[in-house]
Amino acid sequence: MKMKLLVAAAATVLASSAMAQSAFEGFYGQIGTGYESNNASSLNTTGTNVSPPNDAWNVSNQSFGGVPAVVGLGYNFSVAPQWLIGIGADYSAINQKSSNFNYTSGGASTNGSATYGSSLQTSNRFNIFVTPGYAIDKDKLVYLKAGYSSVSLKQNFPSSYTNAPGQTPIPYSTPSQTNTLSGYVVGLGYKQMIANGFYGFGEANYMSYSSASFTSSAGTGNNKYVLSNSPSLSSYQLLVGVGYKF
């Protein structure tokens, strides 16, 4: 009788362990898309004009986004019944570009001066992260995401400028500049196994970055302006996609 009870207890433990083992343990690869939004702030510049000397140049915050394509790889470890820890990396393969925006001078000496045709572009977003997860059952996983993020931010400088209101814009060309920004990513996600190792997922991510540093020049002679700004960037992505657990 005791032997039967021991065998039954052992069988129950083994069955429970089997049920608790998540289908998401091991290596995986996935691709997702959805919506991405970027917000660039602190775009106002301080300017040095050859004559007169100093001005403030103003522009509103810029929000821009679009449809991303995010590819990811990772590995999930089982650390306790129904609990997993994952490590992973993902890459955003599509650039996002803002609409053109203009700077206007608020300085008393050059009030009414303006530059036209600036824009911003993000590219090469790369995240490295950990994902603590809870297996709701064998085929369902909810997880958090936290780690390091980097992104390239390019500022395309103005294509023309004016020295006074109503003046015909004067064309000029200044090379664009790119900064690589570092920051962090946090997120929340859900995965559900479909069949034969394939799964679907949904994920929401937020990323925040250090400030960039840009300097541009416009015009010639006494009408030459040197503009400097340090924009900051924050982004979020709402993703849905499919993956495969190897």
Side-chain angles (χ1 to χ4, degrees), residues 43-57:
L43 288 165
N44 291 344
T45 76
T46 55
T48 300
N49 187 14
V50 174
S51 177
N54 295 300
D55 288 304
W57 294 74

Side-chain angles (χ1 to χ4, degrees), residues 76-244:
N76 286 314
F77 302 85
S78 177
V79 293
Q82 295 184 274
W83 292 96
L84 292 86
I85 292 289
I87 56 173
D90 61 36
Y91 175 77
S92 296
I94 297 179
N95 300 346
Q96 306 290 342
K97 186 178 180 180
S98 74
S99 301
N100 288 345
F101 56 88
N102 307 325
Y103 282 97
T104 57
S105 174
S109 57
T110 56
N111 190 29
S113 299
T115 66
Y116 305 94
S118 296
S119 64
L120 297 169
Q121 179 175 297
T122 60
S123 61
N124 297 320
R125 193 190 308 276
F126 183 72
N127 299 323
I128 303 173
F129 48 81
V130 295
T131 52
Y134 177 77
I136 299 170
D137 62 27
K138 183 175 180 293
D139 294 329
K140 299 180 180 69
L141 179 70
V142 62
Y143 58 93
L144 300 174
K145 181 176 181 179
Y148 169 82
S149 183
S150 70
V151 68
S152 294
L153 179 65
K154 179 167 73 172
Q155 182 161 2
N156 298 303
F157 292 115
S159 57
S160 61
Y161 74 100
T162 58
N163 287 321
Q167 183 186 65
T168 300
I170 302 168
Y172 72 91
S173 177
T174 302
S176 61
Q177 294 180 14
T178 301
N179 280 195
T180 298
L181 311 183
S182 297
Y184 65 86
V185 56
V186 292
L188 174 67
Y190 173 77
K191 295 181 178 181
Q192 181 164 333
M193 195 62 63
I194 301 171
N196 302 319
F198 288 95
Y199 64 87
F201 75 93
E203 196 170 278
N205 298 311
Y206 173 79
M207 291 143 286
S208 181
Y209 299 95
S210 57
S211 297
S213 179
F214 296 115
T215 301
S216 68
S217 60
T220 59
N222 287 339
N223 290 323
K224 183 176 181 179
Y225 304 96
V226 179
L227 308 177
S228 300
N229 66 342
S230 299
S232 58
L233 180 73
S234 61
S235 311
Y236 70 82
Q237 293 175 333
L238 300 176
L239 303 175
V240 293
V242 294
Y244 183 75

